[in-house]
Amino acid sequence: MRKPDTNYILRLLPFFTGGIAGTLLLVNRLLTAQITESQARSDALGVIEGAILILVGLLWQQIQARTPDTVVLVGETGLEIDPELTDTVKTELAWASHLLLTNTVTRSLVVYYDGKTILRRGVLGENPQVKPGAIVERVLSKNQPVYLVNLNLYPGKFEFDYLPENTQGVICQPIEDKGVLILGANAPRSYTKQDEKWIEGIADKLAVTLNSANK
């Protein structure tokens, strides 16, 4: 038996409370033979409060309707870092990936740099190695990010087999012209402009660290 959605019931509460309050005020007004000034003021305040409650209920419904559906990504959770990297680079990658996984909708991420997959973290895809397809190659050649807001709508989604198979959205952020930070989300259209700017900043920081390590 399906359990009732408690959050849905709570979202409806202001709507129904406002409606019931307004109805009771109207009934009370109709049954009152003589209206005093104080009662008129109370009725006016009651109508305003009921209207506000109804408005809050309607707004909550609209917000919920715009919230993208999330899924549970398929795969094992883990952390894999290239053992040949220096301790400084490993620490930087661990720090950056932790921030992205805990502060954005990212649930799976991969760092591809200088022809190698140097990090996988979060929910891991079946393929442990990145083989750049058309989308990643374009990011590398143009040094510009690509945000696939709903991966299911793109025919080229098969190239992301190193991410969970039911990944909903993907950002490919260049790490200069040598690598790509690939982020997988569990909901479509879920990254904000602020998220994109923050991801760009982290990729730039990784570029500095990786370039320094290769010198």
Side-chain angles (χ1 to χ4, degrees):
M1 182 177 179
R2 185 178 180 180
K3 295 181 179 180
D5 187 346
T6 305
N7 290 331
Y8 178 72
I9 295 173
L10 289 175
R11 289 193 301 271
L12 289 177
L13 190 58
F15 182 80
F16 285 114
T17 302
I20 292 171
T23 302
L24 291 176
L25 282 171
L26 178 60
V27 171
N28 182 63
R29 190 67 174 268
L30 293 175
L31 296 178
T32 302
Q34 185 175 358
I35 305 298
T36 63
E37 291 185 5
S38 60
Q39 184 178 356
R41 289 194 295 269
S42 298
D43 287 350
L45 290 174
V47 170
I48 293 173
E49 291 175 358
I52 291 174
L53 285 170
I54 292 174
L55 179 60
V56 169
L58 291 173
L59 289 175
W60 281 9
Q61 294 304 308
Q62 291 177 0
I63 291 172
Q64 176 64 20
R66 291 195 298 266
T67 302
D69 293 330
T70 60
V71 301
V72 177
L73 297 186
V74 176
E76 297 293 329
T77 301
L79 168 61
E80 298 178 359
I81 300 181
D82 186 348
E84 296 182 0
L85 299 173
T86 65
D87 289 342
T88 299
V89 174
K90 290 179 181 177
T91 301
E92 185 84 6
L93 287 170
W95 165 82
S97 59
H98 175 74
L99 283 180
L100 291 168
L101 288 169
T102 55
N103 292 280
T104 71
V105 295
T106 302
R107 294 295 177 267
S108 178
L109 65 87
V110 177
V111 177
Y112 176 79
Y113 188 80
D114 204 16
K116 296 175 61 178
T117 303
I118 61 173
L119 171 75
R120 297 203 305 154
R121 190 169 188 177
V123 183
L124 307 179
E126 291 187 2
N127 187 355
Q129 298 296 325
V130 173
K131 182 179 180 181
I135 296 173
V136 171
E137 289 286 5
R138 187 175 70 181
V139 172
L140 287 168
S141 63
K142 295 184 177 295
N143 197 21
Q144 293 180 348
V146 170
Y147 178 18
L148 307 177
V149 297
N150 190 343
L151 191 58
N152 293 322
L153 301 179
Y154 292 89
K157 63 171 293 184
F158 65 88
E159 78 173 74
F160 297 100
D161 59 350
Y162 42 83
L163 295 176
E165 62 182 29
N166 61 337
T167 299
Q168 300 297 299
V170 171
I171 286 183
C172 299
Q173 180 68 45
I175 304 175
E176 293 187 333
D177 58 349
K178 294 183 179 181
V180 182
L181 171 61
I182 305 164
L183 311 174
N186 65 341
R189 299 180 181 85
S190 49
Y191 286 105
T192 65
K193 289 295 182 183
Q194 183 176 355
D195 290 335
E196 293 179 57
K197 289 294 183 183
W198 195 39
I199 291 167
E200 180 182 359
I202 289 180
D204 289 343
K205 180 66 170 63
L206 288 176
V208 173
T209 302
L210 291 167
N211 279 332
S212 298
N214 288 334
K215 291 181 180 179

